[in-house]
Amino acid sequence: MERKEKRREAVKVENLKKSYGDRQVLKGVSFQVSRGEIFGVLGVNGAGKTTLLECLEGFRRYEEGKVWIGGTCGVQLQNAALPAYIRPEEAMKLFSGWKGTKKDRQSRPALELEDIRGKRYGQLSTGQKRRLQLALALIGSPEILFLDEPAAGLDVEARQKLHRAILELKKEGTAIILTSHDMGEVEQLCDRIAILREGSLIFQGTAKELAARTDGRCRVKIVTKEGEEVRFMREIGEELLAALEEYKRKGIRIQDIQVDRGTLEEHFLSLAGEVSP
């Protein structure tokens, strides 16, 4: 894996290919991630997300292509293989020793680790475990962070705290690559997203660009005294104006207009071609 001098890009992937026997899992994937950017990797189960991240993290070999990593890395796995009896403070010291550094971010307020230092890993809640796993990934102040379903299993309050910590890392210039099935989380956190389908990258861009790539229609609900009517419009300005003129000619007074441009999940499903993520 190539490592060079610091530049704007933190990660660059070119034509990455990976197979398991006769089954090709990654079919020439290419993208790049900048410093201070949160990049979401989406796809239905079996699309190749986990394999892609493992190749970038160095846990799995690939047959073809190039991966350029421009800095130190931290990895938050969905399930950390920590023994149930270990205490969070002991885990922090252990991981610091492995990385050969005393620098860590265990005092970061958003992670709130002080209240769990005396507990054992097996006694922690799901949210506490996720915060500890992120703290372990942050030891040594990595420039690139890989997050696999970072908020999986968390309640609303714990999710918000974790998201605040992730956004703070972005402000500090950390490049973050994450996978998630939670479209709300992706829309809140990610600057850009990539969608994998059967090992191929079928989309790269922002949520707005994804909406433009799909059907592109808006759902418009027009409320009058006589009831409600729902219309689907692509050119919202022209079509809505024409609808308003139509109601005016009929002498129908409009009480409310609601425009729904669709959710990220709907756009994702439209492009991924699946019933559910």
Side-chain angles (χ1 to χ4, degrees):
M1 189 176 294
E2 182 184 3
R3 296 180 185 270
K4 295 182 180 179
E5 70 280 356
K6 182 177 289 189
R7 57 189 188 186
R8 185 174 182 274
E9 298 88 6
V11 176
K12 189 172 183 179
V13 180
E14 296 180 353
N15 198 34
L16 191 65
K17 296 181 181 180
K18 170 65 181 175
S19 298
Y20 297 121
D22 296 331
R23 185 170 68 94
Q24 191 172 21
V25 180
L26 298 177
K27 304 174 182 178
V29 174
S30 299
F31 64 88
Q32 65 182 39
V33 182
S34 300
R35 302 182 188 280
E37 179 181 25
I38 302 179
F39 187 78
V41 179
L42 312 181
V44 298
N45 291 331
K49 302 188 302 297
T50 299
T51 297
L52 173 60
L53 258 65
E54 289 177 346
C55 288
L56 301 185
E57 295 160 352
F59 294 144
R60 194 172 297 278
R61 292 186 177 182
Y62 48 90
E63 287 86 35
E64 296 183 39
K66 294 181 179 180
V67 175
W68 183 88
I69 301 294
T72 56
C73 298
V75 179
Q76 180 200 27
L77 301 175
Q78 192 173 145
N79 296 300
L82 292 174
Y85 59 81
I86 196 170
R87 299 182 190 278
E89 188 171 5
E90 295 170 338
M92 296 293 292
K93 290 180 179 179
L94 180 63
F95 276 64
S96 295
W98 283 343
K99 293 191 176 183
T101 179
K102 293 183 179 180
K103 291 179 61 179
D104 60 56
R105 297 178 179 180
Q106 63 191 69
S107 61
R108 181 180 293 277
L111 295 180
E112 297 183 348
L113 297 181
E114 289 296 333
D115 60 335
I116 64 173
R117 286 182 181 276
K119 295 183 179 180
R120 299 188 185 277
Y121 186 73
Q123 298 173 320
L124 302 181
S125 67
T126 300
Q128 291 169 336
K129 288 179 179 178
R130 299 302 283 169
R131 295 204 305 272
L132 174 60
Q133 290 158 9
L134 179 56
L136 295 174
L138 291 174
I139 290 175
S141 301
E143 298 166 281
I144 302 158
L145 186 62
F146 295 95
L147 305 177
D148 187 5
E149 300 284 346
L154 301 187
D155 58 31
V156 174
E157 183 179 2
R159 181 186 300 262
Q160 290 176 341
K161 290 178 180 177
L162 188 61
H163 286 179
R164 285 197 294 269
I166 292 172
L167 290 172
E168 184 63 29
L169 290 168
K170 166 186 161 64
K171 290 181 182 178
E172 295 173 3
T174 306
I176 300 172
I177 300 178
L178 68 84
T179 66
S180 178
H181 282 94
D182 185 338
M183 295 298 113
E185 177 175 67
V186 170
E187 195 160 19
Q188 179 181 353
L189 295 178
C190 295
D191 299 296
R192 289 189 303 130
I193 56 179
I195 298 178
L196 276 170
R197 183 170 66 190
E198 297 179 350
S200 296
L201 202 59
I202 60 172
F203 173 81
Q204 282 189 69
T206 65
K208 288 183 179 180
E209 290 169 339
L210 174 59
R213 274 281 303 274
T214 54
D215 186 276
R217 296 189 303 169
C218 296
R219 182 178 182 272
V220 181
K221 183 167 73 172
I222 302 175
V223 182
T224 69
K225 191 174 181 179
E226 298 177 5
E228 300 178 357
E229 180 184 7
V230 175
R231 300 189 181 192
F232 292 90
M233 304 178 182
R234 283 191 173 85
E235 299 296 332
I236 187 69
E238 296 179 7
E239 294 181 52
L240 181 56
L241 182 60
L244 296 179
E245 291 292 338
E246 179 185 337
Y247 277 95
K248 184 177 181 180
R249 287 196 303 270
K250 294 179 179 179
I252 301 175
R253 184 177 179 181
I254 296 175
Q255 297 177 327
D256 189 27
I257 299 174
Q258 298 176 12
V259 179
D260 181 4
R261 298 185 181 276
T263 65
L264 179 60
E265 182 172 12
E266 290 170 339
H267 299 317
F268 164 72
L269 296 177
S270 175
L271 197 58
E274 297 288 341
V275 176
S276 64

